[in-house]
Amino acid sequence: MISMSNAIFVLFASILVFSMIPGLAFFYGGLVSAKNVVNTMISIFSICGIGILLFISCGYGLCFSRSHFGIIGNFHHLFLSGVNLMKPFGTTHIPLGVDIIFQLMFALVTPALFVGATVGRMKFNYLITLVCVWTLVVYYPLVHIIWSPAGLLAQHGLLDFAWNDFLMDRLVRL
């Protein structure tokens, strides 16, 4: 059974994370010289567009599907094929689609954070290549290791209390 109050709360949290993206664009745009403002803002918004495509196409499967040695998932859910978006997720009973949106927001904002270090130092096409490679090689495996039930930390019995279903279930009961 789906809990609408939990789903609305997670959607609200997703909106707050999504609002960080234009905030980052204006923040980094204000820190650079006048000739790099537009480049900085376009870089951040372009990275977010590419991040959406990467996460939907292969990122969800690499992060949250069956594991290869607890390090990375697989490609069984390309373009979210075979994923029931209305299926209740975990003990919080939110729809899986809502959880995917929540995870997508962090997959967008994380690579956008390091644009400020590359402003004026890197060509746009190299930045896009760096973001794609970094996301596939670093971000997705780390998400799988830390938050996936099939990840390396879960295999060793470790819990991340930032997104732990057991803790969320206890908080809902209080």
Side-chain angles (χ1 to χ4, degrees):
M1 183 166 138
I2 292 177
S3 170
M4 289 306 290
S5 60
N6 289 352
I8 290 170
F9 176 77
V10 173
L11 282 174
F12 180 69
S14 300
I15 291 168
L16 290 176
V17 174
F18 187 68
S19 68
M20 291 173 61
I21 294 167
L24 277 173
F26 284 110
F27 176 68
Y28 287 148
L31 293 176
V32 298
S33 62
K35 69 177 187 170
N36 288 327
V37 171
V38 174
N39 180 30
T40 302
M41 296 179 87
I42 288 175
S43 296
I44 290 175
F45 291 125
S46 299
I47 285 170
C48 291
I50 290 169
I52 291 170
L53 294 175
L54 274 174
F55 192 80
I56 298 299
S57 64
C58 66
Y60 176 76
L62 290 174
C63 292
F64 298 106
S65 62
R66 291 190 183 132
S67 186
H68 293 290
F69 308 108
I71 304 295
I72 191 80
N74 56 36
F75 291 105
H76 289 157
H77 296 295
L78 289 176
F79 294 99
L80 298 178
S81 65
V83 175
N84 181 2
L85 298 178
M86 289 305 295
K87 173 183 155 190
F89 170 74
T91 57
T92 57
H93 302 291
I94 62 173
L96 183 59
V98 172
D99 180 62
I100 289 173
I101 290 171
F102 184 73
Q103 297 295 338
L104 172 64
M105 292 304 114
F106 286 99
L108 297 181
V109 79
T110 302
L113 286 172
F114 61 77
V115 168
T118 63
V119 173
R121 298 182 182 134
M122 187 179 286
K123 289 187 175 185
F124 183 72
N125 57 346
Y126 294 135
L127 175 65
I128 297 302
T129 304
L130 170 72
V131 166
C132 291
V133 170
W134 181 85
T135 301
L136 290 169
V137 174
V138 177
Y139 184 76
Y140 292 157
L142 284 176
V143 168
H144 184 78
I145 289 169
I146 295 169
W147 289 303
S148 175
L152 191 63
L153 294 181
Q155 289 176 1
H156 292 298
L158 298 173
L159 298 173
D160 176 24
F161 288 104
W163 189 249
N164 180 8
D165 287 340
F166 175 77
L167 181 63
M168 292 298 289
D169 185 42
R170 296 297 180 240
L171 290 175
V172 170
R173 288 185 186 175
L174 290 178

